[in-house]
Each structure stands twice: as C-alpha cells, then as structure tokens.
C-alpha cells in the first residue's frame, strides 16, 4: 500500500499538522499531534473548520456569513495534496506518539490514512491514533484495526444539515458497537437533549460513552452555554466536555 495522497487543510505554507493539547472530548488535556484533513460531507452552520468544505460556488450557509468580509474558500488555496508517507515523516518530527486524525471528515480518505498509520507504526509501534468523525461513514476493516479510538460527533438539527445527510443508521450502529467509540454531541440549547436521547435510544449508543459539549467559537458563547450545560450533565448523568483550545487560543489555527 504505497502512493496514496492525503488532501489536507493548508496552514500558511504547509499542511495543518501541529503539536498541541487535545482540547475537547474524552482525551482532553492529552498532548497530541493533529493532522487536519480537508473535505467534509456535511456543512454545519457553526463549523469552526469551514475552510475544509465551504468552497466558492457552493450554496451552504454559515453563521459567519453575516461577518463583514467573510468569504467562501478557494479549493486551490485551502487544500494541499501531500503523499501519506510524507505526512508520516512530518508527524514523526514531533516528540509525541498520540496522533489525532481530524478534519473536515477524515473518513472520506480511508486508504491514505491506512498508509500514513502503517508508515508511523513501522517507525514506532507505540503510536496511538484517534479519528474524529461526524459518524456518517463506516471505516474500512483495515483502518478500523489500526485505529485506537473514535471521537464520533453525530450532528443534530442545530447543525443545519438535512437529516438524510447527517444521520446514517448503519454508520451509527457500527460505532455504537465499537468499544473504541466515544460520542460527543454539540449542544446549542436545552431542547437539543431530546434529540440526543432519541439517537441514544434508536441506535443503542452506549450511555457511559456520551459527552455533551457546548457549541461556541469564542469564550463568551461557551461561557453562556456551559453554565446551564454543566448542570444538565450533572442532572442527567452525562460526561461534560469543554473546549479548552477556545479558552486558551480562541479561533487561532495550528496551536
Ligand atoms: S462535520 Fe465537522 S468538519 Fe464537517 S461541517 Fe460539521 S463540524 Fe465542520
């Protein structure tokens, strides 16, 4: 398996690969190397990586449309094609064996991740890989065997995606049955809980691997929502996730 190319998000002159601390989900606080895939099959209206999918000429709406000067992105400028083996070389430069494959939607590029993972495992078999996904695509068996953890974030109505796009029963059932999967829901209002609980029931999501996280691309929105969401998590017995990277660095990329 050689010669696969990854479409990654561009950050300045190179791909978005950086060493930081995981900011959200069950691995929050763990030092990690992040590799950000470009391309997504959804178009969430509050997405903070809109430069991976909100391309010029597409009809998708985004909350930032109201911001003066906000424009859709040029694919030529924001996608970098990098051989998977070269991505592995760049990841291996960091003194860190925890790798977060994120996006966009990484599972759109299944085969190329397999090659990157294989290259890294040949360097050091103690690497650990987490995949962040929106839970609409099923990974191949080969990728599944190589991945240690899935951070699955099924999208709710508040994302603005059509139900048929954001909900794939087979994929949800795959992740529900995987002992490697944790589920993180982005919450904008208390009513979102009704939808979360329907999904848990309909797809037998494991109650003890659910996290609720406030939506917010800045500290003020997070603070408004975390105040009631923490109470809700306590009362309904869900794990709470904050967004540490927003508290620390706001919307700055690559940190
Ligand atoms: S699934 Fe994730 S990357 Fe894709 S649009 Fe939604 S928030 Fe953004």
């Amino acid at each position: 398996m050689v010669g696969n190319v990854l479409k990654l998000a561009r950050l300045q002159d190179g791909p978005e690969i950086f060493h930081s601390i995981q900011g959200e989900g069950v691995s929050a606080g763990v030092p990690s190397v992040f590799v950000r895939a470009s391309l997504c099959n959804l178009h969430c209206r509050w997405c903070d990586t809109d430069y991976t999918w909100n391309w010029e000429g597409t009809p998708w709406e985004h909350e930032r449309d109201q911001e003066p000067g906000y424009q859709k992105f040029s694919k030529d400028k924001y996608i970098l094609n990098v051989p998977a083996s070269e991505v592995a070389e760049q990841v291996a430069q960091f003194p860190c064996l925890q790798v977060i494959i994120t996006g966009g939607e990484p599972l759109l590029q299944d085969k190329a991740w397999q090659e990157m993972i294989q290259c890294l495992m040949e360097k050091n078999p103690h690497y650990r890989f987490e995949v962040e996904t929106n839970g609409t695509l099923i990974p191949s068996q080969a990728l599944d065997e190589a991945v240690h953890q899935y951070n699955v974030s099924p999208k709710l109505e508040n994302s603005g995606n059509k139900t048929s796009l954001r909900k794939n029963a087979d994929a949800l059932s795959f992740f529900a049955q995987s002992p490697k999967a944790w589920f993180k829901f982005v919450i904008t209002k208390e009513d979102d809980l009704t939808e979360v609980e329907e999904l848990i029931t309909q797809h037998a999501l494991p109650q003890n691997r659910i996290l609720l996280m406030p939506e917010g691309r800045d500290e003020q929105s997070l603070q408004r929502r975390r105040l009631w969401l923490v109470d809700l998590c306590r009362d309904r017995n869900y794990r709470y996730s904050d967004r540490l990277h927003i508290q620390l660095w706001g919307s700055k990329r690559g940190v």
Side-chain angles (χ1 to χ4, degrees), residues 40 42-44 46-49 52-53 103-105 134 155 161:
C40 187
L42 299 186
H43 38 87
C44 306
W46 36 250
C47 176
D48 58 4
T49 54
T52 64
W53 58 268
E105 173 47 61
N134 57 32
K155 298 302 180 260
N161 294 285

Side-chain angles (χ1 to χ4, degrees), residues 56-172:
E56 288 168 342
T58 58
W60 318 126
E61 290 179 5
H62 193 280
E63 278 180 358
R64 293 184 62 203
D65 289 341
Q66 312 312 323
E67 276 178 27
Y70 179 75
Q71 285 183 328
K72 285 179 176 275
F73 299 87
S74 146
K75 274 189 171 177
D76 286 347
K77 276 199 205 143
Y78 282 87
I79 298 179
L80 210 55
N81 293 301
V82 191
S85 55
E86 167 60 24
V87 176
E89 290 304 324
Q90 293 198 30
V91 170
Q93 301 302 309
F94 297 103
C96 178
L97 297 177
Q98 161 89 350
V99 180
I100 313 278
I101 296 172
T102 187
E105 173 47 61
L107 292 180
L108 291 168
Q109 304 185 65
D110 190 304
K111 240 186 152 44
W113 295 119
Q114 291 176 44
E115 184 180 338
M116 183 203 78
I117 291 173
Q118 187 180 322
C119 292
L120 285 166
M121 290 302 264
E122 282 166 9
K123 291 177 187 295
N124 188 329
H126 298 296
Y127 267 105
R128 184 174 183 282
F129 298 94
E130 293 186 15
V131 171
E132 307 206 306
T133 175
N134 57 32
T136 58
L137 300 168
I138 301 177
S140 66
Q141 191 182 339
L143 184 63
D144 185 45
E145 283 167 6
V147 166
H148 298 83
Q149 183 175 307
Y150 296 105
N151 303 317
V152 185
S153 185
K155 298 302 180 260
L156 305 177
E157 205 179 317
N158 67 36
S159 69
N161 294 285
K162 280 198 303 198
T163 313
S164 56
L165 269 186
R166 63 184 166 81
K167 231 199 251 181
N168 174 344
D170 292 344
L172 283 174

